[in-house]
Amino acid sequence: MLFSHRTAWSREQNRLTEVAEQRRRSGKTFVDLTASNPTDCGLRFPRREITLALTDPRIYQYHPDARGLLSARQSIARWYHTRHRIEVEPSRLFLAASTSEAYSLILRLLCNPGEAIVVPAPSYPLFDYLAQINDVTITHYQLRYDGGEWHLDKESLTAAITPSTKAIVVVNGHNPTGWFLKRTEFELLCTLAREHNVALLVDEVFLDYAFGDDPNRYGSTVRADDVPMFTLNGISKMAGLPQMKLGWIHVGGTDAFIREACDRLEILCDT
């Protein structure tokens, strides 16, 4: 067989997709509640500002930097200051084509073949594909609904961590449940990370989509420096423009961890 076993995925459509395509072909109208493309939902975008940005003559200048264009990282740092009142050092930011690419970079950074990450369930299938193509295994912890809100299940998280675990993945806010990380849950994650010598990998692409304030919500993990921490975000979700693929990684932790992680990530990004 010429092809890698990593890409031997089932390509069969699920029943819901089949029914939707049948209705489209027959010309019948319907409301697709699985639609996830904001550009198809009648939202208005600042077209003039986007067009002007893409005509800026500075885009024709090449400034090679493995961590990503410095002016872009400085803009992201200013956004954290304005939006979250957090001071961010641009040298701890790494740009990627998307958060999906950022995940792969971190899996390559942390995991040897066969080692594991812990991911939430329910969740979306991206993690299964990323783990498979990076030769990483997955265990799951549960998000539970108690009738009022979703929460992290401590027992399942503790049970999911094994000697081969390298990172715990958190999606804050979470797709599809809408769960947001609470302060007590973050303290638990930090405790487990220290006890088991694992990193926390926090995806914040939906962080700014909460319906209201909650004093128990932790907020962005870019402020945390007491455990190995990788915080992911990107502009496509916050702008509602999925075609604008710019993601980034923020590296947090002790000074020694940050230095080593950044040195290694710089080589990964450069290649």
Side-chain angles (χ1 to χ4, degrees):
M1 169 62 74
L2 178 63
F3 299 106
S4 163
H5 63 83
R6 300 180 192 87
T7 57
W9 301 300
S10 170
R11 295 186 293 275
E12 294 182 4
Q13 291 183 334
N14 62 41
R15 182 63 180 142
L16 183 62
T17 302
E18 290 178 351
V19 171
E21 291 196 356
Q22 289 170 3
R23 293 188 69 89
R24 288 190 184 96
R25 287 195 297 266
S26 66
K28 296 178 180 178
T29 59
F30 65 99
V31 177
D32 184 0
L33 296 180
T34 70
S36 59
N37 185 352
T39 64
D40 290 338
C41 297
L43 301 180
R44 299 177 62 185
F45 298 95
R47 298 178 183 273
R48 181 175 179 275
E49 288 85 350
I50 294 173
T51 301
L52 288 174
L54 295 176
T55 61
D56 191 319
R58 290 176 296 177
I59 68 173
Y60 299 106
Q61 299 172 354
Y62 177 49
H63 301 284
D65 190 323
R67 302 185 188 213
L69 192 66
L70 177 59
S71 60
R73 290 185 282 120
Q74 290 170 333
S75 292
I76 293 168
R78 287 194 296 272
W79 175 81
Y80 275 112
H81 174 76
T82 302
R83 182 68 179 84
H84 295 285
R85 297 293 186 265
I86 302 173
E87 298 299 326
V88 169
E89 172 53 53
S91 66
R92 291 165 60 179
L93 292 167
F94 288 79
L95 304 187
S98 63
T99 49
S100 296
E101 183 185 60
Y103 273 116
S104 284
L105 288 167
I106 295 170
L107 294 183
R108 288 295 186 186
L109 174 70
L110 297 178
C111 299
N112 295 309
E115 291 182 324
I117 59 173
V118 182
V119 303
S123 196
Y124 43 89
L126 171 68
F127 297 128
D128 297 305
Y129 286 96
L130 288 174
Q132 188 169 347
I133 62 177
N134 286 286
D135 300 316
V136 173
T137 60
I138 282 181
T139 58
H140 295 90
Y141 66 91
Q142 299 297 313
L143 298 178
R144 307 286 189 189
Y145 186 66
D146 61 9
E149 61 181 1
W150 290 85
H151 65 274
L152 187 158
D153 183 76
K154 176 181 178 180
E155 288 71 24
S156 67
L157 175 58
T158 303
I161 300 173
T162 71
S164 66
T165 299
K166 302 303 288 288
I168 301 170
V169 176
V170 177
V171 184
N172 180 35
H174 183 261
N175 177 9
T177 68
W179 166 71
F180 282 87
L181 183 65
K182 302 296 191 295
R183 294 180 184 274
T184 55
E185 294 169 331
F186 182 71
E187 291 171 3
L188 169 65
L189 288 162
C190 290
T191 298
L192 292 173
R194 285 189 288 265
E195 289 178 355
H196 297 276
N197 191 31
V198 300
L200 299 181
L201 203 175
V202 183
D203 183 337
E204 295 185 345
V205 296
F206 291 116
L207 181 64
D208 292 324
Y209 280 84
F211 285 114
D213 294 330
D214 181 351
N216 296 318
R217 192 178 298 143
Y218 182 78
S220 176
T221 56
V222 298
R223 71 179 82 245
D225 274 334
D226 54 346
V227 296
M229 177 77 67
F230 298 94
T231 303
L232 276 56
N233 208 330
I235 65 171
S236 66
K237 298 295 190 301
M238 67 175 66
L241 290 167
Q243 69 271 38
M244 297 186 72
K245 293 294 186 185
L246 174 67
W248 62 83
I249 303 165
H250 177 270
V251 182
T254 64
D255 290 343
F257 175 81
I258 291 170
R259 283 194 300 271
E260 186 66 17
C262 287
D263 286 349
R264 291 177 180 237
L265 265 177
E266 190 168 281
I267 297 172
L268 274 171
C269 291
D270 201 34
T271 55

